[in-house]
Amino acid sequence: THQKQQKKKGKLSQEQIELLEKIPNWFWGNEQLWYETYELLKQLNNSPKNDYVTKDGVKLGSWCNKQKQDKRKEKLTQEKIYLLEKIPNWYWSQDQFWYEKYELLKQLNDTPLQSYITPCGVQLGVWSNHQRQQKKKGKLSQEQIDLLEKIPNWVWESNKSMIKPELKPKTTSSGKKPQ
């Protein structure tokens, strides 16, 4: 704790700080709490929504937002950045999130049904429908609109066959309903 107090007072050189940080399990202040919270995030195995709270009352969504703010302020170590980026669906900004989902859509090379979920667990159909809503509200950039329109079969107005495919009557190749 003496070294931690010295650091707080600004009495440690950068070299001394770096040497201490190389010691396994060395923590400055609330470091242990950071790793405990990270373990909760790892168990969740997904990037939570902003308002997500664990059963034990840990505000994990808020904690994730704080990590993103700390990275922007250059207050997050490279080790923590690396660990966070290992979490499925982790993103540092909304733009990064959007482009990652768009890349999945591009790989699919078709417009998904609303119920479509990728093999890695991304609700790409729901995300696509959300993009339609965002366009109606004027919240998509022209670049995003142009990119989405390059997706085969992309439509801005979702129809019932996209939302409830199981309700669509089956037909034979002749166009008649099966008996």
Side-chain angles (χ1 to χ4, degrees):
T1 54
H2 177 71
Q3 298 303 324
K4 294 174 186 176
Q5 290 171 353
Q6 292 296 92
K7 181 182 183 245
K8 216 176 218 182
K9 294 176 183 176
K11 294 185 177 184
L12 291 182
S13 69
Q14 187 60 38
E15 181 183 358
Q16 290 170 317
I17 292 169
E18 289 172 7
L19 285 171
L20 287 167
E21 288 176 346
K22 288 181 181 176
I23 297 171
N25 299 316
W26 179 264
F27 297 110
W28 295 111
N30 294 327
E31 290 295 297
Q32 188 165 0
L33 180 60
W34 190 96
Y35 286 97
E36 289 171 3
T37 308
Y38 173 76
E39 285 301 316
L40 292 174
L41 182 62
K42 239 171 79 173
Q43 290 171 14
L44 182 63
N45 198 33
N46 204 345
S47 185
K49 293 185 177 186
N50 295 342
D51 58 354
Y52 181 81
V53 179
T54 67
K55 293 175 188 171
D56 299 327
V58 177
K59 296 178 180 178
L60 203 52
S62 297
W63 183 84
C64 289
N65 280 338
K66 172 90 170 80
Q67 304 319 301
K68 293 169 188 178
Q69 291 170 6
D70 285 351
K71 182 178 185 267
R72 280 193 298 275
K73 294 176 184 176
E74 299 180 1
K75 292 182 176 181
L76 208 55
T77 65
Q78 286 303 310
E79 177 197 8
K80 290 177 181 177
I81 291 169
Y82 171 77
L83 289 172
L84 289 167
E85 288 177 347
K86 289 170 61 174
I87 301 296
N89 300 313
W90 181 266
Y91 60 92
W92 292 108
S93 70
Q94 286 297 326
D95 282 345
Q96 180 185 358
F97 177 77
W98 193 93
Y99 285 101
E100 285 175 6
K101 300 303 175 263
Y102 173 74
E103 284 302 316
L104 289 172
L105 189 61
K106 221 166 87 173
Q107 290 170 14
L108 182 64
N109 199 33
D110 200 359
T111 300
L113 299 172
Q114 182 158 345
S115 60
Y116 179 76
I117 298 173
T118 66
C120 59
V122 175
Q123 296 178 327
L124 203 52
V126 171
W127 181 83
S128 297
N129 197 46
H130 182 70
Q131 300 318 299
R132 291 181 188 92
Q133 293 168 7
Q134 292 296 88
K135 182 179 185 262
K136 282 180 186 176
K137 295 175 184 176
K139 293 187 176 182
L140 284 184
S141 70
Q142 189 57 51
E143 177 191 13
Q144 291 170 325
I145 292 168
D146 293 344
L147 287 170
L148 288 168
E149 288 177 347
K150 290 179 182 177
I151 301 296
N153 303 314
W154 182 264
V155 291
W156 288 110
E157 294 297 323
S158 61
N159 58 40
K160 288 182 180 157
S161 65
M162 293 177 72
I163 296 168
K164 302 267 186 197
E166 65 277 2
L167 298 179
K168 194 174 177 181
K170 294 183 179 181
T171 57
T172 62
S173 57
S174 65
K176 295 181 181 178
K177 289 183 185 176
Q179 300 297 327

